[in-house]
Amino acid sequence: MEDFRRTYLRLCKEGGVEPQESVLAQLQETRGAAAGSRLDLRGHSLSVDTCAVLGRVLHKDTLFTELALSDCMLTEEGAKLLLNGLCANTTVKVLDLKGNNLRSTGAEALGKLLVRNKTLCRLVLEWNALGMWEEAFSVFCEGLATNACLTQLDLRNNQINHQGASELCLALKRNSTLQELDVRWNNIGLLGGRSFLEALQQNRTLTHLEMAGNNIPSDTLKALEQAMDHNSDRQSTMRESRSRTQVLSKEIQILKEEKGRQFLSLMETIDKQRDEMGRSTRSATTSIHVGQLQEALNERKSVVNSLTAKFQMTEAALALSEQKNHDLGELLTRVKTEKDEQRERQTRERKKEQEDSVLREGKLLREMNSMSETNIQLKNKLEMMESRCKSQQDQIFELKQELTNSTAELKLRLAQAEERLEMEKKRSKQSLEDMDNLRQKEVDHVNRHHEESERALQDRILKLEGQRIQLEEELSRAKAACVTERAQAEEELGKVRVQVRLEEQQRVSGLEEKLRGLRQSRDESQSHCSQQKQTIAELQARSGQQSIETGGLRRRIEELQQELSGKDQEKVAEVSRVRVELQEQMGHLQAERTAQGGLKEKIAALEREMKVLASNHREAILDKESEISSLFEKLRLREAEIQRMREDEAQRASFLQNAILTYVQGSPLHYNPKK
């Protein structure tokens, strides 16, 4: 985890990108907790630069196996950079991109990821918009068709229509690894359900399919469930047959190895007996050895006969296993023929039902007209509700964009203010350094001309040192007062934070009040920025006053130089008076130097206050970001409530359709030709 954090910071420095504080905090938390293989960045709004850096880091990462990026407000460009970095990753097996509003470029990047990546097993794409653009969704389906490692795919709430369903079914015909697919709450319809039925006639690996909330008739859903059951049965039979064949192959290999060992042992014993026979030809007891050898040969023959019998038994077992495999194949063929017969029967029954339905439709046209009017009204109500839901979703998206824009503007203003402060600090420091250099030069010039006067001024200097000690004591007292004031200010800040938290708890009453609170907080942040600008203006005014004071000092020094040049030409009698005046002027200069030291300390204190204000402002921004994340969570809850309302309305519509069908089927109006 530490290596991942270091590489992230290094790449940020190389690219000239400021590292995102929320990402660093999350990496710090995961480093402090138990080391795991999951990178959780849910709910963090990732910018394009951070997505690019994360893509470069994950390109060669071997630590994380699960990556959670749900509700990260990824832009199209950021998602593209991140997914391009994951194309060459060899460790990530689970990728969660829920609620990122991925569209055309996101679908194309996902298609490229499925083509290049060879380790991804589970992909969650819930609450996106991949099905809005047909060309981009066809690229995604092409990548799914060529993928050979993905087993679970979640495409809930992606606005997939019947054309996108047909593209997805073409990919399923070519795919041979996907086992679980979730396409709930889309717009697939009747045509999409039929295309899924056609695809499942060729696909043999898909065993779990979720199709709720797609306006698909119940008979097609039942047919899809039967196809899923057939696929699961086929998978179980294939697994059993594979396990049995593996066991039989292992047993056959073990028997072959045992027979080879026994045959080798027989050959070795025969060779040994032959050697013994050749050696025993000279001895007189050859007949006895020959008899013994014949007995041994007979025993070996009996052993060979037993081994042949065992071999025949194993061959018989193999034949039985082959017969079982053949019987299983025949059973599979019989099941297939039975399925075909059932399909033919179902088609015949469907044709008969269609003929009966045509006759019934001819009889019940009058009743259907009235029912069609009611259906039209219900459809109008559904369209109104859908339009309202869409408008609410658009409003939510606009609010998200406004929030992102406001945060970006605040960050830019903060950066500009900090840059201005740094520039003014540098200018003030340079001006102070220049003034110090000029003063030092002038003092050196005066000291050169008046080295004799320094001896007389030593007593004066001792007195001044006593005064300096007193001033230092006063400065220490002033510092202690500043520390107390700072503690009081921190206490006031704590009280303000407590008040802000209380206000946040009071704002939890509703989303509208929270949005108003956000606008008020934005205005407050703007007022805070204006206050900072005012403080900057005051500092500039103070620096201008200091520059004016330094100009006055320069003028005084020039006047002193002129007076010294005039007094050098005067008589020797006036030298004593000039020395006294010079001593007084030196005292004034030293007092002014001490005053300048006090001004420097005040400037340092002001800089510290500016740093404290900047830190407080950053803390306020972090608090606002936390408020924004809580708002996002509440928006998700609101969207879930809207989805529940949709489900309830769909259930009501289905209940109405079922009631209409039961009313039509159970109506007493039947046509009697005898009458």
Side-chain angles (χ1 to χ4, degrees), residues 11 18 43 48 70 205 217 252 277 354 447 493 532 626 632 662:
L11 291 174
E18 186 177 357
V48 178
S70 61
T205 58
I252 290 163
M277 287 289 291
Q354 286 176 359
N447 287 323
L493 284 171
Q532 285 185 353
S626 65
F632 284 151
T662 53

Side-chain angles (χ1 to χ4, degrees), residues 35-205:
S37 61
R38 177 184 171 90
L39 179 60
D40 192 356
L41 295 175
R42 292 177 295 177
H44 298 285
S45 60
L46 302 178
S47 62
V48 178
D49 297 329
T50 54
C51 289
V53 175
L54 286 173
R56 291 176 63 188
V57 176
L58 293 170
H59 182 74
K60 297 180 180 179
D61 181 57
T62 58
L63 176 63
F64 297 110
T65 60
E66 186 174 356
L67 186 60
L69 297 172
S70 61
D71 300 320
C72 289
M73 296 177 68
L74 296 177
T75 60
E76 294 286 314
E77 188 66 25
K80 183 179 179 182
L81 293 170
L82 186 61
L83 293 171
N84 287 330
L86 284 171
C87 287
N89 193 300
T90 58
T91 56
V92 176
K93 294 182 179 179
V94 180
L95 179 60
D96 188 0
L97 293 172
K98 176 183 175 182
N100 284 304
N101 198 15
L102 298 177
R103 298 189 178 184
S104 60
T105 55
E108 292 176 357
L110 285 168
K112 292 179 182 178
L113 175 67
L114 292 174
V115 171
R116 296 179 183 176
N117 198 331
K118 304 297 181 183
T119 57
L120 191 64
C121 296
R122 184 167 179 259
L123 181 61
V124 179
L125 298 172
E126 185 183 357
W127 284 106
N128 287 296
L130 299 177
M132 290 181 68
W133 285 268
E134 296 178 358
E135 294 179 356
F137 191 68
S138 64
V139 173
F140 172 75
C141 293
E142 185 66 26
L144 179 62
T146 57
N147 193 347
C149 59
L150 192 68
T151 59
Q152 295 179 1
L153 179 62
D154 191 353
L155 290 173
R156 288 179 287 177
N157 293 305
N158 271 281
Q159 300 181 9
I160 300 170
N161 54 10
H162 64 280
Q163 294 178 356
S166 63
E167 293 288 336
L168 189 60
C169 291
L170 290 174
L172 289 175
K173 288 179 182 179
R174 295 168 59 189
N175 194 341
S176 62
T177 56
L178 191 65
Q179 296 178 1
E180 295 181 5
L181 178 63
D182 194 350
V183 290
R184 289 180 288 180
W185 308 110
N186 287 298
N187 298 319
I188 291 172
L190 178 61
L191 297 175
R194 289 178 180 175
S195 60
F196 268 101
L197 280 174
E198 291 178 358
L200 288 174
Q201 290 179 1
Q202 295 183 7
N203 193 337
R204 305 296 184 187
T205 58

Side-chain angles (χ1 to χ4, degrees), residues 572-593:
V572 178
E574 295 178 353
V575 172
S576 61
R577 186 173 59 81
V578 170
R579 286 180 181 176
V580 172
E581 290 178 355
L582 286 172
Q583 288 176 359
E584 291 176 355
Q585 289 174 0
M586 288 294 290
H588 288 297
L589 287 171
Q590 288 178 356
E592 287 175 356
R593 185 179 291 176

Side-chain angles (χ1 to χ4, degrees), residues 12 137 184 211 224 234 279 310-311 390 415 473 543 550 575 581 616 620 645 662 665:
C12 286
F137 191 68
R184 289 180 288 180
M211 298 284 289
L224 288 169
R234 190 179 292 108
R279 291 175 182 174
K310 287 182 180 178
F311 186 72
K390 287 181 181 178
E473 290 177 354
S543 64
T550 52
V575 172
E581 290 178 355
N616 292 326
M645 292 290 288
T662 53
Q665 291 177 0

Side-chain angles (χ1 to χ4, degrees), residues 503-533:
E503 289 176 358
E504 287 177 357
Q505 290 178 359
Q506 291 175 359
R507 290 177 188 169
V508 179
S509 62
L511 283 171
E512 295 178 353
E513 292 179 359
K514 202 69 177 178
L515 290 171
R516 291 174 186 172
L518 279 172
R519 289 175 182 173
Q520 290 176 1
S521 63
R522 186 178 66 187
D523 296 332
E524 288 175 358
S525 63
Q526 289 178 357
S527 65
H528 190 69
C529 291
S530 64
Q531 288 177 2
Q532 285 185 353
K533 288 180 181 178

